[in-house]
Amino acid sequence: MHFPKYFTSGCEPNVCAMQQIKGTSKKYFTNCKQWYHRKICGKPTVITYECCPGYEKIPGEKGCPAALPLVNIYSTLGMVGASTTQMYSDRAQLREEIEGPGSFTFFAPSNKAWESLPTEILDALVSNVNIELLNALHYHMVSRRLTSEELKHGSTFSSMYQDAPVHIHHYSNGIVTVNCARLVKPDQHATNGIVHVVDRVITAISNNMQSIIDIDDDLETLRTAFAAAGLTTMLENEGHYTVFAPTNDAFEKIPRETLNRILGDPIALKDLLNYHILKNMHCAESIVSGTPMETLQGTMLEVGCDGEHMTLNGKAIITKTDQLATNGVIHYIGELLIPDSAKTLLELAESSSVSTATRMFVEAGLTPHLTGSEALTMLAPLNDAFKGNVMRKLMSNHVLKEQLSSKALYHGQELETLGGLKLRVFVYRKNLCIENACIAAHDKVGRYATMFTVDKVITPPMGNIMDVLKADDRFITLVNAIQTAGMTELLNQQKVFTFFAPTNDAFNELPQDERNRLMRDPQHLSGVLKYHLGESMLVSGGVSSHTRFQTLQGEKLELGLRNYTVYVNKIPVADADLMATNGIIHAVNSIIRPLREYRVYNIELWIRYSKGGQRAERWTCSSSQSHSRFQGEKGLSLCQKTFSQII
């Protein structure tokens, strides 16, 4: 999508559209197909139309069909909103030159650009019109015709003032700048060249970025830091960098202990400074919306704008923009940007949405581990993961004894915590989980350690599946059923199981006669329980829509996720992720039945045998079976025959 040129297609002929940000003086000429959804820098815009320069309306006809003859550059200045430049051209005796023969490009400051010039600078120019003002105007000129298409990104052209270069940047969003001044009305053709109206008066550039930093007392701390990190040479050499320069006040806002630690650590200091430098040059006027931009430190900064203000990571902390150097541009900022790579574990947590976990880590006495130089990994639960009372001693099991990357984790891996426990890793198609908690954000890699944000408080297993069930009064009936079905030994084995465990309420929900028959029939009871059990480890975070789970009974369960609740065959899981050493338990308050079948208790079936005879039979079934499952003796063996008569 591009801003730059006047358009003559898509709307009426030779009509130019102008997009102005409401409440500001910022204007962008654009075509009617490229309005950025009527917003620039997050602010609504107003669209107005006018005849493109060089054209005018004819009564009764659409658009602006009448083409006016081209005039020289001097006269063009008066037609395109640069009458102040035209006036100063008169005073500096430049008029004859730009009315006469030749081919020129004039980057002409708009009337508002002259008004915005500091009074002392403007007075100095107009008090010496024959030298200073003439030189300033010549610096806005190139002795050849250059259309906006020929103004390539990163190019320089010799101006008509001592061949001093003007620096062009043509950004991917269509914005074109010359010495960071935006072309607001490009490509205004004249008989002896072309005029590009710009939004500010430009000046010659002679200093590199290091020289600018050296002479500015407001950047004294930054100057010292660059020298200590060995980055001075880079700022003196050729390049096209953007430096967000923290002022002395910005450094003073950082806690002294934190600042001294970083300034005394060459690696952290270099990371911090490189986090303030973009790989490419970006003038303030090139920004029309929030855009992630890569820093020399390797991570991204969100560079954006809010109305007329440039922003960093969504904050309007830029105090001065576009201090142009020969090798880049400097924007002054009032806050120091500290990258994750220069932070301790505690600082990583404090700058993230895990304030409850941070407080719990501190209260658990883990501060020395979180502020030191140990290679660790913190598993920090989100704030809303803390429900009820969480024992502080659990927090030591949220810190791993080594620094890890989530990308290096694999299924079945065991991770040792500061508390001495081993935590298991589970890898699913859409989630990566450690015990019952799944990683909820990208890794935050600090100076020595890493932080994983997780969605739950980790509850390490306190025994095998039978131990967990016996310790929970909700499963008294289930424990008796497991013993009746002869499955105790199975669930004590060191395999890996997922058990959708029916609670007492699930059994009590059954009609009493059905429940009694079920509990008296070990074989049938075993089949029902095995339909709730599978030999794999599935935490709730591993469930997505239409997840299928193979049971020991042989059939598959249909799992889904809705409003953060897991459903199994459309039955909600009442309490998920009860961890065991040999698996996981999910409590359900209903007996799970096959989805495609419905409950049948007393149903009369007609069976036609191959010999041609017929028999009327009544069967009582304690499980859910469809008519089709009852066809033949094999299906009927699942139920109990209560009546039979040959007819």
Side-chain angles (χ1 to χ4, degrees):
M1 192 173 290
H2 296 272
F3 279 118
K5 299 181 185 176
Y6 291 122
F7 63 92
T8 57
S9 62
C11 298
E12 295 179 349
N14 306 317
V15 173
C16 290
M18 183 181 69
Q19 193 170 6
Q20 180 170 354
I21 303 176
K22 280 186 178 180
T24 76
S25 60
K26 294 188 78 168
K27 300 177 182 179
Y28 297 82
F29 279 85
T30 180
N31 69 47
C32 56
K33 293 182 179 179
Q34 301 166 349
W35 287 349
Y36 281 76
H37 305 291
R38 291 182 177 265
K39 280 193 174 183
I40 295 174
C41 289
K43 302 296 183 182
T45 60
V46 177
I47 308 296
T48 57
Y49 304 93
E50 60 187 56
C51 289
C52 298
Y55 295 89
E56 64 182 9
K57 293 183 69 65
I58 295 177
E61 296 194 24
K62 290 185 177 181
C64 304
L68 302 175
L70 289 180
V71 294
N72 59 47
I73 285 179
Y74 177 82
S75 299
T76 301
L77 292 174
M79 296 168 56
V80 296
S83 57
T84 304
T85 300
Q86 186 185 52
M87 176 188 69
Y88 285 139
S89 297
D90 262 331
R91 289 193 188 181
Q93 299 181 7
L94 182 63
R95 176 173 180 173
E96 183 177 350
E97 185 175 359
I98 58 177
E99 281 185 330
S103 182
F104 308 105
T105 296
F106 203 147
F107 297 104
S110 66
N111 296 339
K112 187 168 181 58
W114 288 104
E115 293 172 9
S116 303
L117 206 60
T119 304
E120 62 274 15
I121 295 178
L122 184 59
D123 287 347
L125 289 175
V126 299
S127 65
N128 192 349
V129 294
N130 293 328
I131 299 176
E132 296 296 336
L133 184 58
L134 180 62
N135 290 344
L137 292 172
H138 269 150
Y139 185 64
H140 289 75
M141 296 175 62
V142 175
S143 59
R144 53 182 285 201
R145 183 192 300 262
L146 294 168
T147 65
S148 61
E149 288 186 358
E150 296 171 293
L151 300 175
K152 303 299 183 183
H153 190 69
S155 60
T156 59
F157 297 96
S158 296
S159 73
M160 293 176 62
Y161 168 63
Q162 299 180 356
D163 289 333
V166 291
H167 301 264
I168 304 297
H169 287 86
H170 197 145
Y171 297 94
S172 58
N173 59 10
I175 296 291
V176 184
T177 63
V178 52
N179 287 22
C180 283
R182 178 167 58 90
L183 275 62
V184 293
K185 283 188 181 179
D187 299 323
Q188 307 302 304
H189 291 274
T191 55
N192 56 346
I194 194 167
V195 174
H196 304 294
V197 180
V198 296
D199 67 350
R200 71 184 71 169
V201 178
I202 63 174
T203 56
I205 304 163
S206 56
N207 291 329
N208 59 44
M209 286 193 289
Q210 184 60 45
S211 298
I212 293 174
I213 293 170
D214 283 341
I215 61 178
D216 194 333
D217 291 340
D218 214 17
L219 302 179
E220 182 180 358
T221 308
L222 180 63
R223 179 166 63 247
T224 302
F226 273 132
L231 295 176
T232 301
T233 302
M234 182 192 75
L235 297 175
E236 292 173 339
N237 293 339
E238 290 185 6
H240 294 276
Y241 301 112
T242 301
V243 174
F244 294 103
T247 61
N248 298 337
D249 289 342
F251 281 96
E252 288 295 327
K253 293 177 183 177
I254 302 300
R256 179 54 55 183
E257 182 181 354
T258 300
L259 186 59
N260 288 341
R261 176 183 62 78
I262 294 174
L263 293 176
D265 181 345
I267 294 175
L269 178 59
K270 190 169 185 177
D271 271 1
L272 178 137
L273 294 174
N274 279 334
Y275 189 55
H276 290 74
I277 305 174
L278 301 181
K279 289 185 173 182
N280 298 302
M281 180 173 161
H282 288 276
C283 301
E285 287 295 326
S286 71
I287 308 300
V288 295
S289 62
T291 307
M293 297 186 183
E294 189 175 2
T295 67
L296 293 187
Q297 181 259 349
T299 55
M300 310 298 278
L301 274 180
E302 178 82 12
V303 183
C305 52
D306 183 12
E308 293 189 286
H309 302 289
M310 195 174 179
T311 61
L312 276 183
N313 291 341
K315 300 171 70 177
I317 60 173
I318 298 175
T319 57
K320 185 163 62 172
T321 62
D322 294 339
Q323 304 305 297
L324 202 59
T326 56
N327 55 348
V329 65
I330 298 174
H331 307 296
Y332 289 44
I333 58 175
E335 290 185 17
L336 190 65
L337 307 172
I338 303 180
D340 289 345
S341 60
K343 293 178 181 178
T344 64
L345 258 184
L346 186 59
E347 290 165 351
L348 286 177
E350 288 173 340
S351 62
S352 305
S353 55
V354 291
S355 57
T356 304
T358 304
R359 175 175 52 81
M360 295 287 287
F361 281 124
V362 172
E363 291 176 356
L366 295 172
T367 301
H369 293 289
L370 306 185
T371 57
S373 57
E374 294 176 84
L376 303 171
T377 301
M378 174 195 286
L379 308 176
L382 292 165
N383 289 339
D384 58 7
F386 290 88
K387 298 172 183 175
N389 294 323
V390 177
M391 292 185 293
R392 294 191 184 104
K393 66 181 182 180
L394 280 178
M395 300 312 292
S396 64
N397 290 320
H398 286 72
V399 183
L400 306 176
K401 284 187 174 181
E402 57 184 320
Q403 184 178 16
L404 298 166
S405 164
S406 63
K407 293 182 180 179
L409 300 182
Y410 56 89
H411 194 76
Q413 185 178 6
E414 290 190 338
L415 311 172
E416 187 175 359
T417 71
L418 288 181
L421 290 183
K422 295 287 184 69
L423 304 180
R424 298 162 293 182
V425 176
F426 308 114
V427 180
Y428 302 102
R429 188 174 298 277
K430 293 185 178 181
N431 247 336
L432 175 61
C433 306
I434 299 172
E435 292 296 335
N436 58 302
C438 299
I439 294 176
H442 293 297
D443 300 2
K444 283 185 169 291
V445 182
R447 175 66 179 91
Y448 300 104
T450 299
M451 186 182 87
F452 297 165
T453 303
V454 294
D455 62 355
K456 294 183 178 70
V457 175
I458 292 174
T459 53
M462 303 306 292
N464 64 26
I465 286 179
M466 286 305 298
D467 295 331
V468 175
L469 293 176
K470 288 177 180 178
D472 194 326
D473 289 343
R474 292 176 297 174
F475 301 113
I476 293 173
T477 307
L478 176 60
V479 170
N480 291 333
I482 291 170
Q483 293 169 345
T484 300
M487 293 174 59
T488 304
E489 183 179 349
L490 172 68
L491 294 175
N492 278 323
Q493 292 178 7
Q494 288 306 305
K495 293 184 178 181
V496 177
F497 299 103
T498 296
F499 198 173
F500 294 96
T503 62
N504 301 334
D505 290 342
F507 285 98
N508 292 335
E509 186 183 70
L510 297 174
Q512 185 172 355
D513 59 341
E514 179 185 354
R515 184 170 66 252
N516 292 339
R517 281 192 303 273
L518 179 64
M519 299 301 285
R520 288 196 299 263
D521 187 342
Q523 183 178 0
H524 187 198
L525 182 58
S526 175
V528 170
L529 294 180
K530 286 181 178 179
Y531 188 63
H532 292 69
L533 183 67
E535 279 191 1
S536 63
M537 189 81 173
L538 183 62
V539 302
S540 62
V543 176
S544 56
S545 60
H546 306 297
T547 299
R548 291 189 170 179
F549 180 77
Q550 182 70 50
T551 69
L552 293 184
Q553 184 259 359
E555 296 190 14
K556 292 180 179 179
L557 299 176
E558 295 281 346
L559 277 66
L561 191 66
R562 188 166 71 249
N563 295 329
Y564 304 104
T565 298
V566 174
Y567 286 77
V568 51
N569 282 16
K570 297 187 177 180
I571 293 174
V573 170
D575 192 3
D577 301 329
L578 307 176
M579 307 305 292
T581 55
N582 63 339
I584 186 170
I585 297 167
H586 304 294
V588 291
N589 288 331
S590 296
I591 299 296
I592 300 171
R593 303 177 184 278
L595 278 176
R596 291 177 298 278
E597 301 172 355
Y598 49 86
R599 297 178 66 179
V600 181
Y601 298 106
N602 294 309
I603 183 166
E604 189 171 296
L605 301 174
W606 291 82
I607 311 296
R608 185 181 300 275
Y609 291 94
S610 59
K611 294 180 180 180
Q614 287 185 331
R615 177 184 297 163
E617 298 177 346
R618 184 179 297 277
W619 294 78
T620 300
C621 305
S622 59
S623 63
S624 302
Q625 306 294 339
S626 68
H627 285 70
S628 63
R629 290 290 301 277
F630 295 134
Q631 305 306 309
E633 296 294 342
K634 183 177 180 181
L636 291 170
S637 66
L638 298 170
C639 305
Q640 182 178 359
K641 182 164 59 178
T642 57
F643 173 81
S644 176
Q645 180 177 340
I646 297 175
I647 57 175

